[in-house]
Amino acid sequence: MAKIKLLFVCLGNICRSPLAQAIMLDYVNKNGLAHKFEIDSVGTCSYHVGKHPDPRAVAALNSNGLNINHVARQIQFGDIEYYDYILVMDHRNYEDVTSLTTNKELLKKVFLLRSFDEMSVNNYNVPDPFYGLDDAFDEVISICGRSINGFMQFLEKQ
Ligand code: 4NP
């Protein structure tokens, strides 16, 4: 059976989307689902292409017993064709990704990750931790964890 292909997207691909990728990888590994999924992450901008995740993101993952091995890259149109679900971190990412195509079928693949967070109150943004304090990374981990649980429940119903 074809794998379900998931792409997490943020601005720089060094903070939020690699965190989400790591949490998703952990989820599928712990639930015996790794063979069913292909998981990657990208940024909408090119500033950090080729870089490893921000050390603060890695430290926050490590303190939760997780890790990530990733090199930043920028989203391309082909990613929207290739992946089944494109899970973006905020409305700015949503605008940037959806501006890459006018194809209505492809646009249906794009979701705000936090729309699956049962505790999200209003705007569905995963806050950008880049200019924040270190605990901003822990908050992103909590938000992504809840959102990924919600997304997996959504997938089960598909
Ligand atoms: P990310 O965070 O989109 O979660 O990877 C950011 C990384 C870099 C910048 C902004 C946000 N930057 O302005 O360089």
Side-chain angles (χ1 to χ4, degrees):
M1 215 172 102
K3 289 187 180 187
I4 300 171
K5 300 194 280 287
L6 308 180
L7 186 66
F8 293 98
V9 184
C10 62
L11 176 65
N13 194 210
I14 54 170
C15 298
R16 290 166 293 175
S17 60
L19 286 176
Q21 179 183 1
I23 294 164
M24 188 73 210
L25 284 166
D26 182 60
Y27 184 105
V28 298
N29 285 330
K30 285 195 174 134
N31 289 280
L33 298 170
H35 60 291
K36 293 192 174 173
F37 286 87
E38 182 174 332
I39 299 158
D40 199 5
S41 68
V42 290
T44 56
C45 78
S46 62
Y47 317 145
H48 300 285
V49 167
K51 290 190 193 164
H52 292 284
D54 188 302
R56 296 167 296 172
V58 176
L61 280 174
N62 290 168
S63 69
N64 284 275
L66 305 179
N67 209 341
I68 186 67
N69 183 12
H70 183 70
V71 175
R73 70 178 182 89
Q74 185 177 22
I75 192 168
Q76 300 174 352
F77 171 71
D79 290 313
I80 307 183
E81 290 184 307
Y82 181 76
Y83 286 91
D84 300 309
Y85 294 94
I86 297 163
L87 298 158
V88 305
M89 298 297 145
D90 61 30
H91 284 81
R92 179 179 173 191
N93 306 150
Y94 189 90
E95 295 302 324
D96 288 340
V97 171
T98 56
S99 71
L100 294 173
T101 181
T102 54
N103 180 316
K104 288 199 171 64
E105 288 307 307
L106 295 183
L107 290 170
K108 284 183 196 163
K109 298 178 176 187
V110 187
F111 295 84
L112 283 155
L113 176 64
R114 207 173 179 187
S115 63
F116 299 103
D117 176 2
E118 62 182 9
M119 281 175 66
S120 183
V121 273
N122 47 26
N123 66 15
Y124 292 155
N125 287 332
V126 179
D128 183 350
F130 189 68
Y131 295 107
L133 302 172
D134 285 357
D135 66 2
F137 287 82
D138 292 324
E139 191 195 357
V140 170
I141 287 179
S142 300
I143 291 169
C144 289
R146 291 196 306 268
S147 301
I148 284 169
N149 286 339
F151 174 70
M152 294 306 280
Q153 287 170 22
F154 159 81
L155 265 194
E156 278 171 23
K157 293 184 198 139
Q158 299 303 295

